Amino acid sequence: EKYRTAYGDEIVESWQKRIIKFGMPQQMIIDIYGEPDEIKKERTEKTLSETYFYAKDGVKYENGKTSTYKIKVEFKNAIVKGYKEY
């Protein structure tokens, strides 16, 4: 219920279906996919941008090769701002 109050019905319903939505908080992505295989961070004076990379099933993540990614999720201040499925 705390998610519903903070983020609304549409975000919570997507989370329950394990579907990424813009505006979703970082913790929901971790709930869906687990801890990422790699995290890249960029900090400015006002924002923290992070990109989570998840490896394909059965593939060990090595040397930042995008061919091993299943999904990449971009956050700005811990909120989903972009994602790409490979």
Side-chain angles (χ1 to χ4, degrees):
E1 272 313 300
K2 69 176 183 171
Y3 282 153
R4 195 171 301 279
T5 301
Y7 301 104
D9 291 338
E10 187 177 345
I11 296 287
V12 171
E13 288 169 13
S14 293
W15 171 63
Q16 290 170 334
K17 294 175 185 173
R18 301 178 57 82
I19 298 169
I20 297 174
K21 270 286 200 212
F22 294 108
M24 196 175 262
Q26 212 165 24
Q27 187 56 52
M28 282 186 175
I29 300 302
I30 293 170
D31 290 347
I32 293 170
Y33 292 105
E35 292 296 326
D37 295 292
E38 182 179 359
I39 299 173
K40 292 188 178 183
K41 297 181 182 185
E42 182 179 333
R43 184 177 290 281
T44 66
E45 191 174 321
K46 295 181 181 181
T47 62
L48 172 62
S49 297
E50 292 181 278
T51 304
Y52 281 13
F53 297 92
Y54 291 92
K56 290 181 181 177
D57 295 336
V59 175
K60 186 174 180 183
Y61 185 85
E62 292 181 20
N63 302 323
K65 293 181 181 176
T66 58
S67 62
T68 62
Y69 297 154
K70 159 173 71 175
I71 193 162
K72 172 176 89 170
V73 185
E74 298 172 342
F75 301 94
K76 185 164 279 181
N77 295 328
I79 300 295
V80 173
K81 295 297 179 189
Y83 61 93
K84 181 175 181 179
E85 297 181 56
Y86 295 91

